[in-house]
Amino acid sequence: MSTLIPTESIGSLPRSRALQQAMQAFAAGQISAENMERHFDAAVADTISRQEEAGDTLLTDGEQAKPSFVTYPLSGLTNLAGHGVVIPFADGHTRQLPCLTSGPFRYGIYAGSYLPRARKHTGQALKQAVISASALSLLYPAQEIDGYSRDQFINDLIEGAVADIRSCFDQGAAKVQNDFTEARLAIKLDPSKGLLKQFIDLNNEVLGRFSADERQKIGVHVCPGADHDSTHSADVPYSELIPLLMTMNAGNFYLQMASEREPEAALRVVADHLQDHQRIFVGVIDVNDERVESSAVVRDRVLMAARYLPVSQLGTCDDCGFSPFGDDIVTARDTAFAKITARVQGTQMARDQLA
């Protein structure tokens, strides 16, 4: 691995008020699909341009056209109901997943379909985030669906998740990131870690369909949640998650760390389980804190991580996406891009010092 410390965004960026209003109007049938596409194009063009201005070199479309980081594959599906798993956040608000009502399960849209829009606006390398198979496994209800067993669902889910990642590579993605934000939550729901192990086994089934070279371009992102500046599982110790997490068959791990209460303790555990083929992207930007970090603060976070992890296997990232759900407008776009600039500049300062 290179000794250069790469830096990457996680994915989602705040949507402008104009884009959110257009999405609401489209949902209400007040504007045409063609008009909506123009809004998406403008939003992605601005997102790409501002990332380039901030100095990022591996760009994302900011998930501007996704309804949310988790539900995009469900677009257009008719075999869903609204009474699925509820995810409670620390501030009291909740998110609820839909529930599958009949089989078969098929992806309504693949993440790779978002890449051509971004490619129109840049010649730089692009990264695409996909939702993990384990998150979508929560769509299947507790009571088995008549004529469509859970085993059948899991088989269909694996095929869809593989096709989702493959669609990104087919559209020229340089990196694909699996959003596994339910990993820490799984321990909260099941302290025995049986659910977490089940999730990891499922995700490894998907990752196992790719070559070793491809897996070096695939990453896994975990965090305690980021929605309306709140979390769902920050009270779960990282030490409970990391040993199992690092058994996942991917080359890159994106770990929330800037907002971690005991980051050095977590980094020690990562160091104990790090394998030679893995790179750790350490979160140096707290997306749930509206204060913009200085580049010096970012530099110091990188240098702290470098005390525990080999520089050749170190990278930096934001703790999470800034607005994983389409209706989250807590963080302003200007704030998000100021934080990205600090990440890029602070990482460069750390590179210079370490060199």
Side-chain angles (χ1 to χ4, degrees), residues 329-344:
I329 57 173
V330 171
T331 302
R333 273 175 77 81
D334 286 348
T335 298
F337 285 109
K339 282 174 168 277
I340 289 171
T341 300
R343 169 172 51 77
V344 173

Side-chain angles (χ1 to χ4, degrees), residues 13 31 40 59 73 75 78 98 102 126 140 173 222 245-246 259 261 271 275 290 305-306 315 321 340:
L13 286 158
I31 65 172
F40 284 142
L59 310 181
S75 299
T78 58
S102 63
L126 290 169
Y140 196 88
V222 297
L245 177 71
M246 303 300 289
S259 59
R261 283 175 292 188
Q275 300 177 49
E290 296 305 306
I340 289 171

Side-chain angles (χ1 to χ4, degrees), residues 259-288:
S259 59
E260 189 64 15
R261 283 175 292 188
E262 297 182 3
E264 291 191 79
L267 287 166
R268 289 189 195 99
V269 180
V270 174
D272 287 343
H273 293 85
L274 180 64
Q275 300 177 49
D276 290 343
H277 69 282
Q278 296 171 335
R279 186 185 293 274
I280 305 299
F281 287 80
V282 174
V284 293
I285 294 294
D286 184 353
V287 300
N288 288 326

Side-chain angles (χ1 to χ4, degrees), residues 28 36 39 49 77 92 116 127 181 195 202 216 244 271 303 314 335:
M36 190 69 251
H39 281 283
S49 175
L77 300 191
K127 171 182 177 178
T181 62
L195 180 60
L202 175 58
Q216 288 303 116
L244 284 170
L303 295 176
L314 180 62
T335 298

